[in-house]
Amino acid sequence: MQVLTQYRKTLLKFLQQGYSPFKDNSQLHSSLNNKTEKPVITLNPVKTEIKAVEEVIETTPIIEEKVEEPKMDIQKAFDFALNYKKQIVSVTTYRSYKNRMDVF
C-alpha cells in the first residue's frame, strides 16, 4: 500500500510540474534536469578513540522450576469444554463442535 501511495505522490508531482501523458515531454524533462543539479558533499574523516570497556558479569543463581502434573487428562478436558460450550452456544454449533472432537 505504501508503494502505491508513493507512486501517487510522484505522479501528482510530475503532473504539477507540467508533464502531460498526451504529448512529448522531452523538452520539459531536459529543462527540469538542468535545474535540479545535486550538490556534491565531501566527508571529512573524524578521528575517534575507542576505549575498551570491561564488563562485569554477575552470576545469578539458577532457579529450578517445578513442573506440575496435569490435573485432568485430555479426554476429561474435552468433555469439560464441550459441556461448557453446550450451555453457551446453539444446538447446531454444539453438534459441530462434537463432530470435530470425534474426528480429532
Side-chain angles (χ1 to χ4, degrees):
M1 188 65 167
Q2 292 176 344
V3 173
L4 295 176
T5 305
Q6 186 62 35
Y7 283 162
R8 180 178 172 264
K9 288 179 182 179
T10 306
L11 181 61
L12 288 174
K13 178 181 153 188
F14 284 145
L15 291 174
Q16 288 174 353
Q17 290 176 349
Y19 278 93
S20 174
F22 303 109
K23 63 180 182 177
D24 184 25
N25 294 307
S26 59
Q27 187 178 20
L28 181 64
H29 180 70
S30 63
S31 67
L32 288 176
N33 278 343
N34 291 338
K35 290 181 184 177
T36 59
E37 293 181 15
K38 294 181 181 178
V40 177
I41 299 174
T42 58
L43 299 176
N44 296 329
V46 177
K47 295 181 180 179
T48 59
E49 294 181 23
I50 299 174
K51 297 180 180 179
V53 177
E54 294 181 18
E55 295 183 16
V56 178
I57 301 174
E58 297 180 13
T59 58
T60 57
I62 299 173
I63 300 172
E64 294 181 19
E65 296 182 17
K66 294 181 181 178
V67 178
E68 294 182 17
E69 293 295 321
K71 296 183 180 179
M72 68 173 69
D73 62 350
I74 294 174
Q75 186 61 39
K76 287 182 182 178
F78 276 124
D79 291 337
F80 175 78
L82 206 65
N83 287 332
Y84 180 73
K85 283 293 186 179
K86 186 177 187 178
Q87 298 170 3
I88 297 173
V89 298
S90 67
V91 175
T92 56
T93 307
Y94 171 75
R95 192 176 330 137
S96 174
Y97 285 153
K98 184 162 177 26
N99 289 337
R100 288 182 189 166
M101 285 180 50
D102 289 341
V103 170
F104 180 72

